[in-house]
């Protein structure tokens, strides 16, 4: 959990999931054999990540505090992965309503946890002998195990509490699987902690109470069935695809242009997608809290979609494939010469992007020179025309780019309308604002990308 928290904080605000990392020891940490703080202090290293500020502090772990040591670089590797976003909880409003209703059904013998939202549990009995953690939906065995460990840590800090009760809807898990998880925890937790854990698991046909039902758990079970009986676990959201990415890109382009809601039919035409694909993409954005529906059967982003942008940037070439090229002639790269030849030789379905496009959309774009040339091709056409631009252009794989810098990157879209714009004086087409923004992040020009968005928002008047 500590490693996950640090990794999450390192990822926040970074344009790509490439950073320096750490190695951890692989031994299992057992609560019954020494404190978590001691184990983590011995086995966890923190490496210096690109653009991550120094961080010190302490993580409370009961009797001890884990001090974050000064960062020591222990390993260097490129890290790139896809974060599957799981939607297993109700909305915040529904969760608060559930908690309120559950507390009312428990009656006057219970009260909300004294420390409110900071508490690892939701209710405690007036006599101090029982604490209850209400979790709307448990997605699977791993989720169940994590919730029980959190409750066990709360019991460890409160020796006077006789039992901690996890109340949750258990979805497809049956009693045998829950009992299996309890048996696993018996081997990990100290006996006095494991013996104080209880589960009230609600399912479609009633509830499972473990380890045994008594008068106290009967009251909790009745309240749980009343509140959670109608709660269904939502399935995991589908992965981003090139088509759902095209819908996201169209929505972002309209938001950056301040065009207001986009009719769903128009959205499908621009992205060249069917209505079910449009619906899938919109549902994902709704669950991220970024989409705004309109009575005109239109949709738009309410604000800048930073959460979905982070997902897109992590995926990279999975949803936005590209090919990098180097100058194999051995001569110093001449960006302006290559740009002039490209303007003259490229087909009509090719548009300029990157820094060139940024200066087209925002004339005061702050960057000296052109670090590389970015172009976008809409469709699956051949790149044979690059021979006329410069015969020395040679494709290079991403794995081989550590020791060289590409002079040109060709990105590909597959859209009905990529929203290209005419260049100055009717010249070579320019990619839209959204595609330009992705180019800037791909160039690792994070500050300039953020300023680009602010400038476009300021131009709205």
């Amino acid at each position: 959990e500590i490693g996950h928290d640090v990794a999450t904080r390192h990822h926040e605000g970074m344009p790509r999931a490439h950073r320096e990392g750490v190695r951890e020891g692989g031994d299992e940490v057992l609560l019954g054999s020494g404190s978590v703080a001691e184990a983590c202090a011995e086995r966890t290293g923190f490496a210096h990540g690109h653009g991550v500020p120094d961080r010190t502090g302490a993580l409370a772990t009961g009797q001890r505090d884990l001090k974050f040591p000064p960062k020591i670089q222990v390993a260097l590797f490129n890290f790139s992965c896809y974060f599957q976003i799981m939607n297993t909880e109700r909305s915040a409003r529904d969760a608060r309503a559930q908690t309120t209703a559950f507390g009312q059904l428990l009656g006057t013998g219970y009260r909300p946890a004294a420390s409110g939202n900071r508490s690892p549990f939701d209710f405690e009995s007036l006599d101090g002998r029982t604490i209850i953690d209400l979790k709307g939906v448990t997605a699977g065995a791993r989720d169940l195990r994590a919730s029980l460990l959190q409750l066990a840590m709360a019991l460890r800090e409160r020796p006077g509490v006789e039992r901690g009760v996890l109340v949750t809807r258990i979805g497809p898990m049956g009693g045998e699987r829950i009992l299996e998880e309890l048996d696993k925890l018996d081997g990990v937790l100290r006996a006095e902690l494991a013996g104080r854990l209880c589960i009230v698991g609600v399912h479609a046909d009633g509830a499972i109470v473990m380890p045994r039902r008594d008068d106290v758990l009967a009251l909790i079970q009745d309240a749980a069935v009343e509140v959670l009986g109608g709660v269904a676990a939502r399935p995991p959201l589908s992965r981003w695809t090139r088509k759902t990415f095209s819908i996201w890109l169209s929505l972002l382009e309209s938001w950056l242009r301040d065009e207001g809601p986009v009719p769903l039919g128009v959205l499908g035409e621009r992205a060249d997608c069917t209505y079910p694909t449009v619906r899938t993409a919109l549902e994902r954005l709704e669950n991220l809290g970024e989409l705004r529906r309109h009575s005109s059967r239109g949709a738009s982003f309410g604000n800048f979609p930073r959460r979905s942008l982070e997902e897109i940037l992590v995926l990279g070439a999975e949803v936005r494939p590209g090919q990098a090229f180097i100058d194999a002639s051995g001569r110093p790269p001449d960006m302006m010469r290559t740009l002039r030849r490209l303007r003259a030789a490229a087909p009509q379905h090719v548009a300029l992007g990157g820094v060139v496009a940024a200066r087209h959309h925002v004339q005061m774009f702050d960057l000296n020179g052109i670090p590389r040339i970015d172009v976008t091709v809409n469709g699956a056409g051949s790149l044979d025309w690059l021979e006329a631009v410069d015969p020395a252009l040679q494709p290079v794989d991403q794995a081989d780019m550590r020791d060289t810098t590409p002079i040109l990157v060709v990105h590909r879209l597959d859209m009905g309308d990529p929203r290209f714009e005419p260049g100055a004086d009717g010249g070579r087409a320019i990619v839209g604002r959204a595609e330009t923004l992705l180019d800037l992040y791909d160039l690792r020009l994070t500050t300039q990308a953020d300023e680009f968005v602010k400038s476009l928002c300021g131009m709205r008047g």
Side-chain angles (χ1 to χ4, degrees):
E1 293 296 327
I2 294 167
H4 175 270
D5 180 61
V6 172
T8 300
R9 284 182 282 145
H10 279 212
H11 175 262
E12 289 174 355
M14 298 182 69
R16 304 279 297 195
H18 294 278
R19 75 253 304 124
E20 293 172 347
V22 300
R23 286 196 174 275
E24 287 187 353
D27 293 353
E28 188 175 7
V29 177
L30 306 182
L31 295 183
S33 58
S35 72
V36 178
E38 290 173 339
C40 290
E42 291 174 359
R43 309 200 66 85
T44 305
F46 297 86
H48 181 66
H50 297 296
V52 180
D54 290 338
R55 188 188 304 276
T56 59
L59 178 65
T61 56
Q63 298 176 347
R64 290 176 177 264
D65 283 340
L66 172 62
K67 299 291 186 182
F68 289 100
K71 292 176 182 143
I72 303 172
Q73 183 167 319
V74 294
L76 176 65
F77 59 90
N78 286 330
F79 174 78
S80 180
C81 70
Y82 173 74
F83 293 93
Q84 180 78 6
I85 305 300
M86 303 286 289
N87 178 34
T88 58
E89 296 291 348
R90 304 285 291 231
S91 67
R93 182 185 303 174
D94 289 346
R96 288 193 295 268
Q98 281 181 8
T99 303
T100 300
F102 185 76
Q104 292 172 347
L105 291 170
L106 286 177
T108 57
Y110 292 83
R111 64 191 173 200
S115 52
N117 293 334
R118 298 186 303 275
S119 175
F121 55 90
D122 297 296
F123 296 94
E124 57 188 342
S125 61
L126 296 183
D127 59 13
R129 299 166 63 182
T130 302
I131 59 176
I132 303 172
D133 181 22
L134 177 64
K135 183 175 175 62
V137 176
T138 295
R142 181 179 297 179
D143 198 12
L144 177 66
R145 195 178 311 130
S147 298
L148 287 171
L149 282 172
Q150 176 177 297
L151 195 56
M153 293 177 69
L155 289 171
R156 180 175 179 267
E157 296 171 356
R158 297 164 178 82
V161 176
E162 295 180 0
R163 74 172 99 195
V165 185
L166 174 64
V167 177
T168 183
R169 183 174 177 92
I170 57 176
M173 284 188 297
E176 291 184 2
R177 185 59 186 274
I178 295 177
L179 188 59
E180 180 182 333
E181 291 303 318
L182 285 174
D183 288 341
K184 288 181 180 179
L185 289 178
D186 282 343
V188 173
L189 300 173
R190 293 200 295 266
E192 61 93 8
L193 279 178
R196 294 154 64 193
L197 285 174
C198 303
I199 298 177
V200 175
V202 178
H203 55 82
D205 300 321
I208 297 173
V209 179
M210 292 185 177
R212 60 186 179 277
R213 189 174 186 271
D214 55 25
D215 291 341
V216 173
L217 291 180
L219 172 65
I220 297 173
Q221 175 188 343
D222 291 343
V225 171
E226 180 71 22
V227 172
L228 300 181
V231 177
R234 297 179 184 178
L237 294 176
S238 58
R239 290 175 60 93
W240 282 106
T241 65
R242 291 189 64 185
K243 284 301 183 182
T244 54
F245 162 74
S246 296
I247 295 165
W248 177 87
L249 192 70
S250 295
L251 284 170
L252 180 56
E253 182 69 24
S254 292
W255 188 85
L256 292 172
R257 292 178 183 231
D258 195 23
E259 293 178 335
V262 184
L264 301 190
V266 173
L267 196 57
E269 291 174 1
R270 288 177 179 172
D272 193 22
C273 296
T274 61
Y275 177 73
T277 304
V278 173
R279 183 180 60 201
T280 298
L282 297 186
E283 287 175 353
R284 178 181 202 76
L285 295 170
E286 279 185 315
N287 282 283
L288 292 175
E290 295 179 338
L291 191 75
R292 180 179 296 171
R293 298 270 193 172
H294 300 266
S295 58
S296 59
R297 285 184 56 81
S300 67
F301 285 128
N303 294 291
F304 184 69
R306 191 161 296 280
R307 293 183 65 186
S308 54
L309 172 65
E310 290 175 354
E311 294 181 18
I312 296 297
L313 295 177
V314 168
L315 289 172
E318 284 190 42
V319 294
R320 189 172 178 252
Q323 177 64 63
F325 292 84
I326 61 172
D327 186 341
S329 68
R331 63 177 181 261
D334 187 341
M335 294 291 184
M336 298 310 298
R337 172 182 174 274
T338 303
L339 184 59
R340 286 193 302 269
R341 296 175 66 90
L342 192 148
R343 290 181 189 272
Q348 292 300 314
H349 63 284
V350 177
L352 292 170
V355 173
V356 175
R359 289 175 178 153
H360 170 84
H361 295 300
V362 177
Q363 294 184 359
M364 299 301 292
F365 182 74
D366 185 17
L367 186 72
N368 292 324
I370 302 176
R372 79 178 187 207
I373 300 170
D374 288 81
V375 299
T376 295
V377 177
N378 188 42
S382 169
L383 298 182
D384 292 344
W385 52 270
L386 286 174
E387 182 74 16
V389 175
D390 190 342
L393 289 175
Q394 176 181 313
V396 60
D397 293 333
Q398 185 176 11
D400 299 328
M401 289 172 53
R402 295 179 181 176
D403 300 325
T404 185
T405 301
I407 186 175
L408 170 70
V409 174
V410 179
H411 307 279
R412 286 194 179 271
L413 290 179
D414 185 17
M415 301 179 66
D417 181 4
R419 310 295 302 275
F420 292 166
E421 300 181 9
D425 301 324
R428 170 62 50 191
I430 301 293
V431 302
R433 294 155 176 79
E435 183 77 357
T436 301
L437 181 65
L438 293 181
D439 285 343
L440 295 178
Y441 279 119
D442 194 50
L443 282 161
R444 301 183 184 274
L445 299 174
T446 306
T447 300
Q448 288 83 357
D450 292 340
E451 290 298 323
F452 179 73
V453 174
K454 292 178 182 177
S455 297
L456 291 176
C457 292
M459 291 164 57
R460 296 177 177 181

